[in-house]
Amino acid sequence: AGVRVPLFALVAIFLLAAPLAAEAQQAGKVPRIGVLHSGLSGASAPVLEGFRQGLRELGYVEPKNIAIEYRFAEGNLARLPALAAELVLLKVDVIVASGGTPTILAARNATSTIPIIFPTVGDPVAQGIVASFARPGGNITGLTLMAPELGAKKLGLLKEVVPRARRVAVLGQEANAFTAFDFENLQAPGLAMGLQLHRIEVRSPDDLESAFSKIATTVRATALFVQAVTLFVESRKQIADLAAKYRLPAIADARELTEAGILMSYGADRTDLGRRAAAYVDKILKGAKPADLPV
């Protein structure tokens, strides 16, 4: 004969099992990271390489205990808002906005609740991205490349190595608030060094050839200053080849451009910034709030 279990006992077992099952399901949930990137999906992006490396160092392995949803704008900044909206619809646990100010603003405009981490940016306070460095506020924080003196330092190095330089083309990205902000910061030190700075903007790698032709024939520049833009890091070989073709000594902020062939670089290690962004994401996934993590 079978063993009879009283009805009240079955109810009690069910009530106990329900929360245990819910806890097990929650414990087995794999967090999802949304990566919004302004650049090219097939390019080697130092920040993203550093980010993935940082995740591995912290014990995150795809797909075992982490999932990553990538969205690439392929250099077309107009695509960023729609891509950010896709990540929000996927209900990712955190968004990593990589590729500069346009990417960050697209993510911030898409959600006020999902935490957002930016691996690099210029001055996030001046650009209205965060309230302050110590207390970023809202759902966004990250790491900054802000150092206005670095622009002057790079111009000084360029002038020292190329004493004949008088007219300097500053290569920037159209519709990128950071490059406009950075160009303004270059005006005073450039004037003090006797340099005439000419801003040349491009939208995509397809514009680079015509931009360099304009630099050589219309601007008649004798040196080139490449601004800190993801597009240029990912198009570094093309930029290096064009600089050589037009005999333009150039300086950039990323060593990857120097490795590709331009004259020199001076700036932060983007791979390391990506690695540090992974640490911020780890803290968010463990319960920290963006407002608790100073820029």
Side-chain angles (χ1 to χ4, degrees):
V3 178
R4 291 187 176 183
V5 180
L7 180 59
F8 74 85
L10 288 173
V11 174
I13 291 170
F14 176 77
L15 292 174
L16 284 170
L20 288 174
E23 287 179 14
Q25 184 178 10
Q26 186 67 23
K29 178 179 180 286
V30 174
R32 285 198 296 176
I33 301 170
V35 172
L36 181 65
H37 188 65
S38 63
L40 310 174
S41 55
S44 175
V47 170
L48 293 187
E49 290 174 2
F51 178 67
R52 287 188 287 262
Q53 181 181 336
L55 288 178
R56 290 193 297 269
E57 292 170 356
L58 290 165
Y60 293 100
V61 180
E62 291 185 89
K64 181 180 177 182
N65 60 356
I66 197 74
I68 304 179
E69 296 282 352
Y70 291 97
R71 294 294 184 274
F72 294 91
E74 304 294 344
N76 183 354
L77 301 183
R79 294 184 59 199
L80 287 169
L83 296 175
E86 287 182 21
L87 292 175
V88 172
L89 288 175
L90 288 173
K91 297 182 179 179
V92 294
D93 296 284
V94 59
I95 295 175
V96 176
S98 173
T101 304
T103 315
I104 299 165
L105 293 177
R108 190 193 64 177
N109 292 339
T111 177
S112 60
T113 55
I114 298 174
I116 299 168
I117 302 298
F118 50 83
T120 62
V121 75
D123 185 339
V125 176
Q127 295 176 62
I129 294 170
V130 299
S132 73
F133 293 102
R135 298 180 182 276
N139 64 320
I140 186 166
T141 190
L143 302 155
T144 177
L145 283 170
M146 190 196 74
E149 68 277 7
L150 288 186
K153 178 69 173 178
K154 284 183 280 189
L155 281 179
L157 288 171
L158 189 60
K159 178 72 173 176
E160 184 177 342
V161 175
V162 192
R164 62 182 176 81
R166 291 291 180 273
R167 303 169 69 86
V168 178
V170 180
L171 188 64
Q173 185 177 24
E174 190 173 335
N176 188 326
F178 167 74
T179 58
F181 176 78
D182 186 50
F183 184 78
E184 290 304 315
N185 283 335
L186 291 173
Q187 294 301 306
L191 185 63
M193 296 176 201
L195 299 174
Q196 298 177 30
L197 305 183
H198 299 266
R199 189 178 180 190
I200 304 295
E201 293 183 324
V202 299
R203 283 182 176 269
S204 72
D206 295 336
D207 301 329
L208 286 169
E209 177 70 53
S210 60
F212 270 82
S213 176
K214 181 178 180 180
I215 288 169
T217 59
T218 305
V219 176
R220 291 179 287 110
T222 49
L224 175 67
F225 184 106
V226 183
Q227 289 188 292
V229 174
T230 295
L231 170 66
F232 299 153
V233 177
E234 295 182 348
S235 305
R236 52 191 177 272
K237 183 63 168 62
Q238 185 181 359
I239 289 174
D241 290 346
L242 287 168
K245 174 182 176 180
Y246 289 99
R247 297 181 174 275
L248 282 169
I251 189 168
D253 79 312
R255 69 181 182 186
E256 288 81 11
L257 275 88
T258 303
E259 291 168 353
I262 74 162
L263 179 61
M264 56 186 172
S265 61
Y266 186 86
D269 186 331
R270 290 170 177 266
T271 303
D272 185 61
L273 288 169
R275 189 183 299 112
R276 291 169 60 191
Y280 270 48
V281 168
D282 177 54
K283 291 176 181 178
I284 292 291
L285 295 179
K286 289 177 178 175
K289 305 296 183 185
D292 301 329
L293 304 173
V295 177

